[in-house]
Amino acid sequence: MIYKEFQDLQLSALGMGAMRLPVIDGKDDQIDEAAACEMVDYAFKNGINYYDTAWGYHSGQSELVMGRALKKYPREQFYLATKFPGYDLANMPKVKEIFARQLEKCQVEYFDFYLFHNVCEMNIDAYLDDAKYGIYTYLMEQKKNGRIRHLGFSAHGSYEVMKRFLEAYGKDMEFCQIQLNWIDYDFQDAKKKIELLNEYQIPVWVMEPLRGGKLAVLGEKYENRLKEVRPEETIPAWSFRFLQTIPGVTVTLSGMSNFEQMKANIETFQTEKPLNEQEWKMLLDIAEDMTKSNTVPCTACHYCTSHCPQELDIPGLLSLYNEHAFTGGGFIAPMALSAVPKDKQPTACIGCKSCEAVCPQQIHISEVMTDFSQKLQG
C-alpha cells in the first residue's frame, strides 16, 4: 500500500468509502453486514487505514455498520472520518445532538477526521451563518477538546461557493474532499478548485474517482486506445493513475461495493505509476470526446446574458444542464438550482431567442431550457 504524509500521520493513499457498501436485495438501507465486515477486514489487513462514512450514507446505517466493523481493531491503528450532514438544511440547528449521536453510532470517543459535508449553493449561507447555527464554533470546540483531531470540508458546489467558504473558514481547514476524476478535471472545473485549495495550502482528498462507476467501463474505442498504451493496466486503474499524477492528492476514497473491487483497487495502490504527458493528454482528449456527445458547447462568453429579458444566468444554467445530461440525472444540478430563485430557473425562459441571435456557438438555448425543465421534472 502506498502511504501519503499528512502532518505527522501516514495515511493510506486508498481510503475505504462507506457510501456504497454491499446491500441485500438492492435495498440501500439494508447493508449486507457480513460482506461489509469481510471487506473491512481485508482492507485493514492489506494496509488501508482510512475509513470514511457519513450520517446519511445508507439511510443512516453506514456509521452503525462501520462502527461495529472497526470495533475489533485497536483504535490507534485506523483513522475514521465522518461528516456533519449540512446537505439537509433541517440539520443545521442540530449540530450538538448529531455529533454526539455520531460518536455513539461509530462507537468511538473521537473522530480522526471530521468534515462540513457537501458545501454547496444550497447550504453555503447557513454554513456561514455562525451567529444563527454555531456549526463552525461548535466543531472548533470539539477540535480543541480532542473529539475532532482534524477538521475539513467536502464540496460539490462551484468554485465560487468554495471560495466563499474558504474566505470565511479557510485558515482552520486542514483538508478538503472534492469530486475529482479525469472527466471532471475540466467538465466540473476541478482543476480550478485544486488551484484554489493550493492557494490555501490545503491538501486534496478525492471522492468519486470513478464517477460512481461510470469510468470503470468505457466504450470499446476508448478502452482500445488505453490498452494500446498500457496493456497491463485495468480500465479503473487509469483513473487512479490519473490521480497519482496530481500533486496535493493525499487520500483517494473509493466506494467499493464488493470484494472483487476492493481486491483490484488495493492491487493498483501497491504501486505509484503516474501518467506521462502524452498519457495525460490522451485521457483528457477522451474525456472531451465523451462529454460532447450529449452536452452543449457553451464557452461562457456571456454574450447571451445581456440580451436576456429575464436576466437569466444562461452560462450557469447551461453548465448545470451539461452536468445533468452527461450524468443522466443525479443530484448536483437540482441541488444547485435549489438555491436559484424561481424566476431565474430554466422554466423562466420565455423562448424569445434573443440570446440565440448573439450566441457564437449557435446553441439553441430556448430548446435546451425546455429540455432541462423537462429533465428536472422527470
Side-chain angles (χ1 to χ4, degrees), residues 262-325:
M262 171 163 283
K263 288 178 68 176
N265 290 353
I266 288 175
E267 178 63 27
T268 297
F269 275 86
Q270 296 303 310
T271 55
E272 201 154 14
K273 297 180 181 178
L275 307 182
N276 61 38
E277 186 176 347
Q278 291 75 22
E279 293 168 335
W280 176 273
K281 184 178 184 304
M282 179 180 64
L283 210 52
L284 293 184
D285 285 346
I286 292 174
E288 183 179 5
D289 194 55
M290 287 176 61
T291 55
K292 73 182 182 183
S293 60
N294 59 348
T295 59
V296 294
C298 176
T299 61
C301 68
H302 284 84
Y303 293 165
C304 54
T305 55
S306 61
H307 287 70
C308 178
Q310 301 296 89
E311 299 182 344
L312 301 182
D313 177 13
I314 295 172
L317 294 175
L318 292 181
S319 176
L320 291 174
Y321 172 82
N322 284 343
E323 160 62 31
H324 205 61

Side-chain angles (χ1 to χ4, degrees), residues 336-351:
L337 286 170
S338 69
V340 176
K342 290 289 185 182
D343 62 351
K344 301 300 179 186
Q345 295 196 13
T347 51
C349 174
I350 59 176

Side-chain angles (χ1 to χ4, degrees), residues 108-121:
V108 294
E109 295 182 355
Y110 65 90
F111 293 114
D112 302 279
F113 295 84
Y114 197 86
L115 298 83
F116 292 79
H117 197 176
N118 188 18
V119 175
C120 64
E121 290 80 356

Side-chain angles (χ1 to χ4, degrees), residues 23 43 60 117 160 213 216 235 261 281 293 316 322 358 371:
V23 297
H117 197 176
E160 289 72 22
I235 298 304
Q261 290 176 2
K281 184 178 184 304
S293 60
N322 284 343
V358 295
D371 185 47

